[in-house]
Amino acid sequence: MPAAEERAFLLRHALRLEYFTVDWNIIEGLIAIAAAVAAGSIALLGFGIDSFIETTSGMVLIWRLKAAKNQMPSPEIERLDRRAHQLVGGSLFLLAAYITFNAIKALLLHERPEPSLIGIMLTTVSMGVMWRLAQAKHRTAIALGSRALEADSFQTTACW
């Protein structure tokens, strides 16, 4: 396959991975947050919020990958890639801060969550989906040479 055709194929594949990421995480996030509210679980709530951060990360990558697919000039792609990388990294720090704050608060207030069968099932299924998705993103990021997609694959691994 010629280099231009291979790159076009990789960009389409990366976009499919990101669309799946967004769709999956919206569904996962809604289920996790509903289960978290029912169980009073900070951890499950953090899991649900992470799903929406992952959704945001996926949308940023869709924006970046569409620019590459539309053959935007290379310097512009590099600028978008750096910006997308920064946005994905920033979202990881926001999630870490949120979970840290709520974990400390739960410890200080001696909050105990109720068990959640839905949360356990969702987490189990999600672990399999996120692991495979992270691996696919990582391979595609390396093939494309995209730091932003690489950061997003790390974000997906963190979600896993």
Side-chain angles (χ1 to χ4, degrees), residues 9-36:
F9 171 79
L10 287 168
L11 286 170
R12 285 191 306 274
H13 181 63
L15 276 165
R16 281 192 302 272
L17 290 171
E18 293 304 328
Y19 282 120
F20 178 79
T21 297
V22 169
D23 293 345
W24 173 266
N25 279 288
I26 288 172
I27 294 165
E28 177 187 78
L30 291 172
I31 293 169
I33 288 173

mmCIF file with all atom_site columns, all heavy atoms in Angstrom, residues 9-36:
data_model
loop_
_atom_site.group_PDB
_atom_site.id
_atom_site.type_symbol
_atom_site.label_atom_id
_atom_site.label_alt_id
_atom_site.label_comp_id
_atom_site.label_asym_id
_atom_site.label_entity_id
_atom_site.label_seq_id
_atom_site.pdbx_PDB_ins_code
_atom_site.Cartn_x
_atom_site.Cartn_y
_atom_site.Cartn_z
_atom_site.occupancy
_atom_site.B_iso_or_equiv
_atom_site.pdbx_formal_charge
_atom_site.auth_seq_id
_atom_site.auth_comp_id
_atom_site.auth_asym_id
_atom_site.auth_atom_id
_atom_site.pdbx_PDB_model_num
ATOM 1   N N   . PHE A 1 9  ? -5.640  5.404  5.479  1.00 0.00 ? 9  PHE A N   1
ATOM 2   C CA  . PHE A 1 9  ? -6.268  4.277  6.166  1.00 0.00 ? 9  PHE A CA  1
ATOM 3   C C   . PHE A 1 9  ? -6.096  4.418  7.679  1.00 0.00 ? 9  PHE A C   1
ATOM 4   O O   . PHE A 1 9  ? -7.041  4.223  8.447  1.00 0.00 ? 9  PHE A O   1
ATOM 5   C CB  . PHE A 1 9  ? -5.649  2.950  5.693  1.00 0.00 ? 9  PHE A CB  1
ATOM 6   C CG  . PHE A 1 9  ? -6.085  1.775  6.511  1.00 0.00 ? 9  PHE A CG  1
ATOM 7   C CD1 . PHE A 1 9  ? -7.324  1.193  6.301  1.00 0.00 ? 9  PHE A CD1 1
ATOM 8   C CD2 . PHE A 1 9  ? -5.267  1.271  7.516  1.00 0.00 ? 9  PHE A CD2 1
ATOM 9   C CE1 . PHE A 1 9  ? -7.747  0.119  7.077  1.00 0.00 ? 9  PHE A CE1 1
ATOM 10  C CE2 . PHE A 1 9  ? -5.679  0.199  8.293  1.00 0.00 ? 9  PHE A CE2 1
ATOM 11  C CZ  . PHE A 1 9  ? -6.914  -0.378 8.076  1.00 0.00 ? 9  PHE A CZ  1
ATOM 12  N N   . LEU A 1 10 ? -4.866  4.758  8.120  1.00 0.00 ? 10 LEU A N   1
ATOM 13  C CA  . LEU A 1 10 ? -4.599  4.922  9.551  1.00 0.00 ? 10 LEU A CA  1
ATOM 14  C C   . LEU A 1 10 ? -5.422  6.055  10.158 1.00 0.00 ? 10 LEU A C   1
ATOM 15  O O   . LEU A 1 10 ? -5.920  5.939  11.280 1.00 0.00 ? 10 LEU A O   1
ATOM 16  C CB  . LEU A 1 10 ? -3.110  5.166  9.789  1.00 0.00 ? 10 LEU A CB  1
ATOM 17  C CG  . LEU A 1 10 ? -2.199  3.960  9.601  1.00 0.00 ? 10 LEU A CG  1
ATOM 18  C CD1 . LEU A 1 10 ? -0.738  4.393  9.579  1.00 0.00 ? 10 LEU A CD1 1
ATOM 19  C CD2 . LEU A 1 10 ? -2.448  2.917  10.681 1.00 0.00 ? 10 LEU A CD2 1
ATOM 20  N N   . LEU A 1 11 ? -5.577  7.148  9.414  1.00 0.00 ? 11 LEU A N   1
ATOM 21  C CA  . LEU A 1 11 ? -6.399  8.261  9.908  1.00 0.00 ? 11 LEU A CA  1
ATOM 22  C C   . LEU A 1 11 ? -7.864  7.849  10.045 1.00 0.00 ? 11 LEU A C   1
ATOM 23  O O   . LEU A 1 11 ? -8.514  8.183  11.040 1.00 0.00 ? 11 LEU A O   1
ATOM 24  C CB  . LEU A 1 11 ? -6.272  9.471  8.988  1.00 0.00 ? 11 LEU A CB  1
ATOM 25  C CG  . LEU A 1 11 ? -4.950  10.230 9.100  1.00 0.00 ? 11 LEU A CG  1
ATOM 26  C CD1 . LEU A 1 11 ? -4.825  11.252 7.973  1.00 0.00 ? 11 LEU A CD1 1
ATOM 27  C CD2 . LEU A 1 11 ? -4.827  10.906 10.454 1.00 0.00 ? 11 LEU A CD2 1
ATOM 28  N N   . ARG A 1 12 ? -8.384  7.100  9.069  1.00 0.00 ? 12 ARG A N   1
ATOM 29  C CA  . ARG A 1 12 ? -9.779  6.616  9.169  1.00 0.00 ? 12 ARG A CA  1
ATOM 30  C C   . ARG A 1 12 ? -9.922  5.674  10.370 1.00 0.00 ? 12 ARG A C   1
ATOM 31  O O   . ARG A 1 12 ? -10.901 5.736  11.101 1.00 0.00 ? 12 ARG A O   1
ATOM 32  C CB  . ARG A 1 12 ? -10.203 5.921  7.875  1.00 0.00 ? 12 ARG A CB  1
ATOM 33  C CG  . ARG A 1 12 ? -10.498 6.867  6.730  1.00 0.00 ? 12 ARG A CG  1
ATOM 34  C CD  . ARG A 1 12 ? -11.167 6.169  5.555  1.00 0.00 ? 12 ARG A CD  1
ATOM 35  N NE  . ARG A 1 12 ? -10.440 5.010  5.060  1.00 0.00 ? 12 ARG A NE  1
ATOM 36  C CZ  . ARG A 1 12 ? -9.447  5.038  4.165  1.00 0.00 ? 12 ARG A CZ  1
ATOM 37  N NH1 . ARG A 1 12 ? -9.063  6.201  3.654  1.00 0.00 ? 12 ARG A NH1 1
ATOM 38  N NH2 . ARG A 1 12 ? -8.857  3.930  3.779  1.00 0.00 ? 12 ARG A NH2 1
ATOM 39  N N   . HIS A 1 13 ? -8.913  4.806  10.543 1.00 0.00 ? 13 HIS A N   1
ATOM 40  C CA  . HIS A 1 13 ? -8.939  3.862  11.670 1.00 0.00 ? 13 HIS A CA  1
ATOM 41  C C   . HIS A 1 13 ? -8.900  4.614  13.006 1.00 0.00 ? 13 HIS A C   1
ATOM 42  O O   . HIS A 1 13 ? -9.665  4.313  13.929 1.00 0.00 ? 13 HIS A O   1
ATOM 43  C CB  . HIS A 1 13 ? -7.761  2.892  11.568 1.00 0.00 ? 13 HIS A CB  1
ATOM 44  C CG  . HIS A 1 13 ? -7.716  1.880  12.658 1.00 0.00 ? 13 HIS A CG  1
ATOM 45  N ND1 . HIS A 1 13 ? -8.704  0.938  12.850 1.00 0.00 ? 13 HIS A ND1 1
ATOM 46  C CD2 . HIS A 1 13 ? -6.802  1.674  13.647 1.00 0.00 ? 13 HIS A CD2 1
ATOM 47  C CE1 . HIS A 1 13 ? -8.409  0.193  13.896 1.00 0.00 ? 13 HIS A CE1 1
ATOM 48  N NE2 . HIS A 1 13 ? -7.260  0.622  14.409 1.00 0.00 ? 13 HIS A NE2 1
ATOM 49  N N   . ALA A 1 14 ? -8.024  5.617  13.100 1.00 0.00 ? 14 ALA A N   1
ATOM 50  C CA  . ALA A 1 14 ? -7.930  6.420  14.322 1.00 0.00 ? 14 ALA A CA  1
ATOM 51  C C   . ALA A 1 14 ? -9.248  7.133  14.603 1.00 0.00 ? 14 ALA A C   1
ATOM 52  O O   . ALA A 1 14 ? -9.699  7.192  15.754 1.00 0.00 ? 14 ALA A O   1
ATOM 53  C CB  . ALA A 1 14 ? -6.784  7.427  14.201 1.00 0.00 ? 14 ALA A CB  1
ATOM 54  N N   . LEU A 1 15 ? -9.877  7.665  13.562 1.00 0.00 ? 15 LEU A N   1
ATOM 55  C CA  . LEU A 1 15 ? -11.170 8.334  13.749 1.00 0.00 ? 15 LEU A CA  1
ATOM 56  C C   . LEU A 1 15 ? -12.234 7.351  14.238 1.00 0.00 ? 15 LEU A C   1
ATOM 57  O O   . LEU A 1 15 ? -13.020 7.678  15.133 1.00 0.00 ? 15 LEU A O   1
ATOM 58  C CB  . LEU A 1 15 ? -11.626 9.009  12.453 1.00 0.00 ? 15 LEU A CB  1
ATOM 59  C CG  . LEU A 1 15 ? -11.038 10.390 12.214 1.00 0.00 ? 15 LEU A CG  1
ATOM 60  C CD1 . LEU A 1 15 ? -11.245 10.832 10.774 1.00 0.00 ? 15 LEU A CD1 1
ATOM 61  C CD2 . LEU A 1 15 ? -11.640 11.403 13.174 1.00 0.00 ? 15 LEU A CD2 1
ATOM 62  N N   . ARG A 1 16 ? -12.248 6.136  13.686 1.00 0.00 ? 16 ARG A N   1
ATOM 63  C CA  . ARG A 1 16 ? -13.214 5.122  14.155 1.00 0.00 ? 16 ARG A CA  1
ATOM 64  C C   . ARG A 1 16 ? -12.971 4.806  15.628 1.00 0.00 ? 16 ARG A C   1
ATOM 65  O O   . ARG A 1 16 ? -13.922 4.673  16.408 1.00 0.00 ? 16 ARG A O   1
ATOM 66  C CB  . ARG A 1 16 ? -13.120 3.856  13.305 1.00 0.00 ? 16 ARG A CB  1
ATOM 67  C CG  . ARG A 1 16 ? -13.817 3.959  11.971 1.00 0.00 ? 16 ARG A CG  1
ATOM 68  C CD  . ARG A 1 16 ? -13.948 2.606  11.282 1.00 0.00 ? 16 ARG A CD  1
ATOM 69  N NE  . ARG A 1 16 ? -12.671 1.957  11.052 1.00 0.00 ? 16 ARG A NE  1
ATOM 70  C CZ  . ARG A 1 16 ? -11.905 2.129  9.976  1.00 0.00 ? 16 ARG A CZ  1
ATOM 71  N NH1 . ARG A 1 16 ? -12.284 2.948  9.013  1.00 0.00 ? 16 ARG A NH1 1
ATOM 72  N NH2 . ARG A 1 16 ? -10.767 1.478  9.852  1.00 0.00 ? 16 ARG A NH2 1
ATOM 73  N N   . LEU A 1 17 ? -11.695 4.678  16.020 1.00 0.00 ? 17 LEU A N   1
ATOM 74  C CA  . LEU A 1 17 ? -11.374 4.420  17.424 1.00 0.00 ? 17 LEU A CA  1
ATOM 75  C C   . LEU A 1 17 ? -11.877 5.546  18.325 1.00 0.00 ? 17 LEU A C   1
ATOM 76  O O   . LEU A 1 17 ? -12.425 5.305  19.400 1.00 0.00 ? 17 LEU A O   1
ATOM 77  C CB  . LEU A 1 17 ? -9.859  4.254  17.608 1.00 0.00 ? 17 LEU A CB  1
ATOM 78  C CG  . LEU A 1 17 ? -9.228  2.994  17.021 1.00 0.00 ? 17 LEU A CG  1
ATOM 79  C CD1 . LEU A 1 17 ? -7.705  3.082  17.097 1.00 0.00 ? 17 LEU A CD1 1
ATOM 80  C CD2 . LEU A 1 17 ? -9.732  1.750  17.734 1.00 0.00 ? 17 LEU A CD2 1
ATOM 81  N N   . GLU A 1 18 ? -11.714 6.778  17.874 1.00 0.00 ? 18 GLU A N   1
ATOM 82  C CA  . GLU A 1 18 ? -12.146 7.926  18.675 1.00 0.00 ? 18 GLU A CA  1
ATOM 83  C C   . GLU A 1 18 ? -13.667 8.047  18.735 1.00 0.00 ? 18 GLU A C   1
ATOM 84  O O   . GLU A 1 18 ? -14.224 8.378  19.785 1.00 0.00 ? 18 GLU A O   1
ATOM 85  C CB  . GLU A 1 18 ? -11.510 9.216  18.170 1.00 0.00 ? 18 GLU A CB  1
ATOM 86  C CG  . GLU A 1 18 ? -10.015 9.275  18.373 1.00 0.00 ? 18 GLU A CG  1
ATOM 87  C CD  . GLU A 1 18 ? -9.577  9.066  19.813 1.00 0.00 ? 18 GLU A CD  1
ATOM 88  O OE1 . GLU A 1 18 ? -10.305 9.458  20.751 1.00 0.00 ? 18 GLU A OE1 1
ATOM 89  O OE2 . GLU A 1 18 ? -8.483  8.513  20.012 1.00 0.00 ? 18 GLU A OE2 1
ATOM 90  N N   . TYR A 1 19 ? -14.359 7.768  17.626 1.00 0.00 ? 19 TYR A N   1
ATOM 91  C CA  . TYR A 1 19 ? -15.827 7.783  17.661 1.00 0.00 ? 19 TYR A CA  1
ATOM 92  C C   . TYR A 1 19 ? -16.340 6.707  18.612 1.00 0.00 ? 19 TYR A C   1
ATOM 93  O O   . TYR A 1 19 ? -17.275 6.943  19.382 1.00 0.00 ? 19 TYR A O   1
ATOM 94  C CB  . TYR A 1 19 ? -16.424 7.594  16.267 1.00 0.00 ? 19 TYR A CB  1
ATOM 95  C CG  . TYR A 1 19 ? -16.392 8.831  15.418 1.00 0.00 ? 19 TYR A CG  1
ATOM 96  C CD1 . TYR A 1 19 ? -15.716 8.857  14.198 1.00 0.00 ? 19 TYR A CD1 1
ATOM 97  C CD2 . TYR A 1 19 ? -17.031 10.004 15.814 1.00 0.00 ? 19 TYR A CD2 1
ATOM 98  C CE1 . TYR A 1 19 ? -15.686 9.999  13.409 1.00 0.00 ? 19 TYR A CE1 1
ATOM 99  C CE2 . TYR A 1 19 ? -17.007 11.148 15.041 1.00 0.00 ? 19 TYR A CE2 1
ATOM 100 C CZ  . TYR A 1 19 ? -16.326 11.139 13.845 1.00 0.00 ? 19 TYR A CZ  1
ATOM 101 O OH  . TYR A 1 19 ? -16.301 12.271 13.075 1.00 0.00 ? 19 TYR A OH  1
ATOM 102 N N   . PHE A 1 20 ? -15.711 5.533  18.581 1.00 0.00 ? 20 PHE A N   1
ATOM 103 C CA  . PHE A 1 20 ? -16.096 4.473  19.508 1.00 0.00 ? 20 PHE A CA  1
ATOM 104 C C   . PHE A 1 20 ? -15.839 4.912  20.947 1.00 0.00 ? 20 PHE A C   1
ATOM 105 O O   . PHE A 1 20 ? -16.663 4.684  21.838 1.00 0.00 ? 20 PHE A O   1
ATOM 106 C CB  . PHE A 1 20 ? -15.343 3.168  19.206 1.00 0.00 ? 20 PHE A CB  1
ATOM 107 C CG  . PHE A 1 20 ? -15.690 2.079  20.174 1.00 0.00 ? 20 PHE A CG  1
ATOM 108 C CD1 . PHE A 1 20 ? -16.869 1.365  20.031 1.00 0.00 ? 20 PHE A CD1 1
ATOM 109 C CD2 . PHE A 1 20 ? -14.859 1.782  21.244 1.00 0.00 ? 20 PHE A CD2 1
ATOM 110 C CE1 . PHE A 1 20 ? -17.219 0.366  20.936 1.00 0.00 ? 20 PHE A CE1 1
ATOM 111 C CE2 . PHE A 1 20 ? -15.194 0.801  22.153 1.00 0.00 ? 20 PHE A CE2 1
ATOM 112 C CZ  . PHE A 1 20 ? -16.375 0.083  21.999 1.00 0.00 ? 20 PHE A CZ  1
ATOM 113 N N   . THR A 1 21 ? -14.681 5.554  21.173 1.00 0.00 ? 21 THR A N   1
ATOM 114 C CA  . THR A 1 21 ? -14.336 6.057  22.509 1.00 0.00 ? 21 THR A CA  1
ATOM 115 C C   . THR A 1 21 ? -15.422 6.988  23.037 1.00 0.00 ? 21 THR A C   1
ATOM 116 O O   . THR A 1 21 ? -15.872 6.849  24.177 1.00 0.00 ? 21 THR A O   1
ATOM 117 C CB  . THR A 1 21 ? -12.980 6.809  22.465 1.00 0.00 ? 21 THR A CB  1
ATOM 118 O OG1 . THR A 1 21 ? -11.954 5.901  22.091 1.00 0.00 ? 21 THR A OG1 1
ATOM 119 C CG2 . THR A 1 21 ? -12.651 7.440  23.806 1.00 0.00 ? 21 THR A CG2 1
ATOM 120 N N   . VAL A 1 22 ? -15.832 7.938  22.213 1.00 0.00 ? 22 VAL A N   1
ATOM 121 C CA  . VAL A 1 22 ? -16.851 8.907  22.624 1.00 0.00 ? 22 VAL A CA  1
ATOM 122 C C   . VAL A 1 22 ? -18.171 8.199  22.926 1.00 0.00 ? 22 VAL A C   1
ATOM 123 O O   . VAL A 1 22 ? -18.773 8.401  23.990 1.00 0.00 ? 22 VAL A O   1
ATOM 124 C CB  . VAL A 1 22 ? -17.021 10.009 21.557 1.00 0.00 ? 22 VAL A CB  1
ATOM 125 C CG1 . VAL A 1 22 ? -18.245 10.864 21.837 1.00 0.00 ? 22 VAL A CG1 1
ATOM 126 C CG2 . VAL A 1 22 ? -15.764 10.878 21.484 1.00 0.00 ? 22 VAL A CG2 1
ATOM 127 N N   . ASP A 1 23 ? -18.619 7.350  22.009 1.00 0.00 ? 23 ASP A N   1
ATOM 128 C CA  . ASP A 1 23 ? -19.897 6.645  22.204 1.00 0.00 ? 23 ASP A CA  1
ATOM 129 C C   . ASP A 1 23 ? -19.868 5.772  23.462 1.00 0.00 ? 23 ASP A C   1
ATOM 130 O O   . ASP A 1 23 ? -20.786 5.817  24.285 1.00 0.00 ? 23 ASP A O   1
ATOM 131 C CB  . ASP A 1 23 ? -20.230 5.783  20.985 1.00 0.00 ? 23 ASP A CB  1
ATOM 132 C CG  . ASP A 1 23 ? -20.522 6.602  19.743 1.00 0.00 ? 23 ASP A CG  1
ATOM 133 O OD1 . ASP A 1 23 ? -20.758 7.828  19.852 1.00 0.00 ? 23 ASP A OD1 1
ATOM 134 O OD2 . ASP A 1 23 ? -20.503 6.018  18.633 1.00 0.00 ? 23 ASP A OD2 1
ATOM 135 N N   . TRP A 1 24 ? -18.821 4.963  23.586 1.00 0.00 ? 24 TRP A N   1
ATOM 136 C CA  . TRP A 1 24 ? -18.699 4.063  24.737 1.00 0.00 ? 24 TRP A CA  1
ATOM 137 C C   . TRP A 1 24 ? -18.700 4.851  26.045 1.00 0.00 ? 24 TRP A C   1
ATOM 138 O O   . TRP A 1 24 ? -19.393 4.510  26.993 1.00 0.00 ? 24 TRP A O   1
ATOM 139 C CB  . TRP A 1 24 ? -17.430 3.225  24.628 1.00 0.00 ? 24 TRP A CB  1
ATOM 140 C CG  . TRP A 1 24 ? -17.182 2.425  25.867 1.00 0.00 ? 24 TRP A CG  1
ATOM 141 C CD1 . TRP A 1 24 ? -16.402 2.771  26.931 1.00 0.00 ? 24 TRP A CD1 1
ATOM 142 C CD2 . TRP A 1 24 ? -17.771 1.169  26.209 1.00 0.00 ? 24 TRP A CD2 1
ATOM 143 N NE1 . TRP A 1 24 ? -16.450 1.811  27.911 1.00 0.00 ? 24 TRP A NE1 1
ATOM 144 C CE2 . TRP A 1 24 ? -17.288 0.812  27.489 1.00 0.00 ? 24 TRP A CE2 1
ATOM 145 C CE3 . TRP A 1 24 ? -18.653 0.308  25.559 1.00 0.00 ? 24 TRP A CE3 1
ATOM 146 C CZ2 . TRP A 1 24 ? -17.650 -0.372 28.112 1.00 0.00 ? 24 TRP A CZ2 1
ATOM 147 C CZ3 . TRP A 1 24 ? -19.009 -0.867 26.203 1.00 0.00 ? 24 TRP A CZ3 1
ATOM 148 C CH2 . TRP A 1 24 ? -18.523 -1.191 27.451 1.00 0.00 ? 24 TRP A CH2 1
ATOM 149 N N   . ASN A 1 25 ? -17.911 5.908  26.100 1.00 0.00 ? 25 ASN A N   1
ATOM 150 C CA  . ASN A 1 25 ? -17.751 6.638  27.351 1.00 0.00 ? 25 ASN A CA  1
ATOM 151 C C   . ASN A 1 25 ? -18.980 7.431  27.753 1.00 0.00 ? 25 ASN A C   1
ATOM 152 O O   . ASN A 1 25 ? -19.209 7.634  28.945 1.00 0.00 ? 25 ASN A O   1
ATOM 153 C CB  . ASN A 1 25 ? -16.503 7.519  27.292 1.00 0.00 ? 25 ASN A CB  1
ATOM 154 C CG  . ASN A 1 25 ? -15.273 6.707  27.572 1.00 0.00 ? 25 ASN A CG  1
ATOM 155 O OD1 . ASN A 1 25 ? -15.045 6.295  28.697 1.00 0.00 ? 25 ASN A OD1 1
ATOM 156 N ND2 . ASN A 1 25 ? -14.490 6.434  26.541 1.00 0.00 ? 25 ASN A ND2 1
ATOM 157 N N   . ILE A 1 26 ? -19.760 7.878  26.804 1.00 0.00 ? 26 ILE A N   1
ATOM 158 C CA  . ILE A 1 26 ? -21.018 8.543  27.171 1.00 0.00 ? 26 ILE A CA  1
ATOM 159 C C   . ILE A 1 26 ? -21.941 7.540  27.859 1.00 0.00 ? 26 ILE A C   1
ATOM 160 O O   . ILE A 1 26 ? -22.487 7.813  28.937 1.00 0.00 ? 26 ILE A O   1
ATOM 161 C CB  . ILE A 1 26 ? -21.692 9.182  25.933 1.00 0.00 ? 26 ILE A CB  1
ATOM 162 C CG1 . ILE A 1 26 ? -20.900 10.415 25.491 1.00 0.00 ? 26 ILE A CG1 1
ATOM 163 C CG2 . ILE A 1 26 ? -23.154 9.530  26.233 1.00 0.00 ? 26 ILE A CG2 1
ATOM 164 C CD1 . ILE A 1 26 ? -21.355 11.004 24.166 1.00 0.00 ? 26 ILE A CD1 1
ATOM 165 N N   . ILE A 1 27 ? -22.074 6.368  27.273 1.00 0.00 ? 27 ILE A N   1
ATOM 166 C CA  . ILE A 1 27 ? -22.935 5.334  27.858 1.00 0.00 ? 27 ILE A CA  1
ATOM 167 C C   . ILE A 1 27 ? -22.380 4.894  29.210 1.00 0.00 ? 27 ILE A C   1
ATOM 168 O O   . ILE A 1 27 ? -23.104 4.834  30.219 1.00 0.00 ? 27 ILE A O   1
ATOM 169 C CB  . ILE A 1 27 ? -23.081 4.137  26.892 1.00 0.00 ? 27 ILE A CB  1
ATOM 170 C CG1 . ILE A 1 27 ? -23.844 4.569  25.640 1.00 0.00 ? 27 ILE A CG1 1
ATOM 171 C CG2 . ILE A 1 27 ? -23.753 2.952  27.569 1.00 0.00 ? 27 ILE A CG2 1
ATOM 172 C CD1 . ILE A 1 27 ? -23.755 3.602  24.477 1.00 0.00 ? 27 ILE A CD1 1
ATOM 173 N N   . GLU A 1 28 ? -21.081 4.597  29.251 1.00 0.00 ? 28 GLU A N   1
ATOM 174 C CA  . GLU A 1 28 ? -20.429 4.159  30.481 1.00 0.00 ? 28 GLU A CA  1
ATOM 175 C C   . GLU A 1 28 ? -20.552 5.214  31.584 1.00 0.00 ? 28 GLU A C   1
ATOM 176 O O   . GLU A 1 28 ? -20.865 4.897  32.739 1.00 0.00 ? 28 GLU A O   1
ATOM 177 C CB  . GLU A 1 28 ? -18.950 3.884  30.182 1.00 0.00 ? 28 GLU A CB  1
ATOM 178 C CG  . GLU A 1 28 ? -18.133 3.481  31.386 1.00 0.00 ? 28 GLU A CG  1
ATOM 179 C CD  . GLU A 1 28 ? -16.666 3.397  31.022 1.00 0.00 ? 28 GLU A CD  1
ATOM 180 O OE1 . GLU A 1 28 ? -16.010 4.472  30.929 1.00 0.00 ? 28 GLU A OE1 1
ATOM 181 O OE2 . GLU A 1 28 ? -16.174 2.277  30.844 1.00 0.00 ? 28 GLU A OE2 1
ATOM 182 N N   . GLY A 1 29 ? -20.337 6.471  31.225 1.00 0.00 ? 29 GLY A N   1
ATOM 183 C CA  . GLY A 1 29 ? -20.403 7.555  32.203 1.00 0.00 ? 29 GLY A CA  1
ATOM 184 C C   . GLY A 1 29 ? -21.784 7.712  32.804 1.00 0.00 ? 29 GLY A C   1
ATOM 185 O O   . GLY A 1 29 ? -21.927 7.888  34.021 1.00 0.00 ? 29 GLY A O   1
ATOM 186 N N   . LEU A 1 30 ? -22.798 7.658  31.965 1.00 0.00 ? 30 LEU A N   1
ATOM 187 C CA  . LEU A 1 30 ? -24.166 7.794  32.467 1.00 0.00 ? 30 LEU A CA  1
ATOM 188 C C   . LEU A 1 30 ? -24.526 6.657  33.417 1.00 0.00 ? 30 LEU A C   1
ATOM 189 O O   . LEU A 1 30 ? -25.107 6.885  34.489 1.00 0.00 ? 30 LEU A O   1
ATOM 190 C CB  . LEU A 1 30 ? -25.155 7.855  31.295 1.00 0.00 ? 30 LEU A CB  1
ATOM 191 C CG  . LEU A 1 30 ? -25.088 9.122  30.445 1.00 0.00 ? 30 LEU A CG  1
ATOM 192 C CD1 . LEU A 1 30 ? -25.977 8.983  29.203 1.00 0.00 ? 30 LEU A CD1 1
ATOM 193 C CD2 . LEU A 1 30 ? -25.471 10.348 31.257 1.00 0.00 ? 30 LEU A CD2 1
ATOM 194 N N   . ILE A 1 31 ? -24.156 5.434  33.041 1.00 0.00 ? 31 ILE A N   1
ATOM 195 C CA  . ILE A 1 31 ? -24.442 4.279  33.904 1.00 0.00 ? 31 ILE A CA  1
ATOM 196 C C   . ILE A 1 31 ? -23.665 4.386  35.215 1.00 0.00 ? 31 ILE A C   1
ATOM 197 O O   . ILE A 1 31 ? -24.217 4.176  36.300 1.00 0.00 ? 31 ILE A O   1
ATOM 198 C CB  . ILE A 1 31 ? -24.119 2.952  33.177 1.00 0.00 ? 31 ILE A CB  1
ATOM 199 C CG1 . ILE A 1 31 ? -25.077 2.744  32.005 1.00 0.00 ? 31 ILE A CG1 1
ATOM 200 C CG2 . ILE A 1 31 ? -24.193 1.772  34.145 1.00 0.00 ? 31 ILE A CG2 1
ATOM 201 C CD1 . ILE A 1 31 ? -24.691 1.608  31.076 1.00 0.00 ? 31 ILE A CD1 1
ATOM 202 N N   . ALA A 1 32 ? -22.376 4.740  35.122 1.00 0.00 ? 32 ALA A N   1
ATOM 203 C CA  . ALA A 1 32 ? -21.533 4.812  36.322 1.00 0.00 ? 32 ALA A CA  1
ATOM 204 C C   . ALA A 1 32 ? -22.017 5.894  37.286 1.00 0.00 ? 32 ALA A C   1
ATOM 205 O O   . ALA A 1 32 ? -22.057 5.678  38.499 1.00 0.00 ? 32 ALA A O   1
ATOM 206 C CB  . ALA A 1 32 ? -20.079 5.069  35.934 1.00 0.00 ? 32 ALA A CB  1
ATOM 207 N N   . ILE A 1 33 ? -22.380 7.043  36.760 1.00 0.00 ? 33 ILE A N   1
ATOM 208 C CA  . ILE A 1 33 ? -22.838 8.130  37.641 1.00 0.00 ? 33 ILE A CA  1
ATOM 209 C C   . ILE A 1 33 ? -24.167 7.774  38.302 1.00 0.00 ? 33 ILE A C   1
ATOM 210 O O   . ILE A 1 33 ? -24.351 8.015  39.498 1.00 0.00 ? 33 ILE A O   1
ATOM 211 C CB  . ILE A 1 33 ? -22.890 9.463  36.878 1.00 0.00 ? 33 ILE A CB  1
ATOM 212 C CG1 . ILE A 1 33 ? -21.453 9.934  36.614 1.00 0.00 ? 33 ILE A CG1 1
ATOM 213 C CG2 . ILE A 1 33 ? -23.679 10.517 37.652 1.00 0.00 ? 33 ILE A CG2 1
ATOM 214 C CD1 . ILE A 1 33 ? -21.328 11.144 35.729 1.00 0.00 ? 33 ILE A CD1 1
ATOM 215 N N   . ALA A 1 34 ? -25.072 7.159  37.558 1.00 0.00 ? 34 ALA A N   1
ATOM 216 C CA  . ALA A 1 34 ? -26.341 6.728  38.155 1.00 0.00 ? 34 ALA A CA  1
ATOM 217 C C   . ALA A 1 34 ? -26.084 5.694  39.256 1.00 0.00 ? 34 ALA A C   1
ATOM 218 O O   . ALA A 1 34 ? -26.669 5.780  40.349 1.00 0.00 ? 34 ALA A O   1
ATOM 219 C CB  . ALA A 1 34 ? -27.264 6.155  37.083 1.00 0.00 ? 34 ALA A CB  1
ATOM 220 N N   . ALA A 1 35 ? -25.194 4.734  38.994 1.00 0.00 ? 35 ALA A N   1
ATOM 221 C CA  . ALA A 1 35 ? -24.870 3.721  40.002 1.00 0.00 ? 35 ALA A CA  1
ATOM 222 C C   . ALA A 1 35 ? -24.152 4.354  41.191 1.00 0.00 ? 35 ALA A C   1
ATOM 223 O O   . ALA A 1 35 ? -24.374 3.954  42.341 1.00 0.00 ? 35 ALA A O   1
ATOM 224 C CB  . ALA A 1 35 ? -24.008 2.616  39.377 1.00 0.00 ? 35 ALA A CB  1
ATOM 225 N N   . ALA A 1 36 ? -23.305 5.357  40.947 1.00 0.00 ? 36 ALA A N   1
ATOM 226 C CA  . ALA A 1 36 ? -22.577 6.039  42.023 1.00 0.00 ? 36 ALA A CA  1
ATOM 227 C C   . ALA A 1 36 ? -23.527 6.781  42.944 1.00 0.00 ? 36 ALA A C   1
ATOM 228 O O   . ALA A 1 36 ? -23.371 6.743  44.173 1.00 0.00 ? 36 ALA A O   1
ATOM 229 C CB  . ALA A 1 36 ? -21.555 7.008  41.434 1.00 0.00 ? 36 ALA A CB  1
#
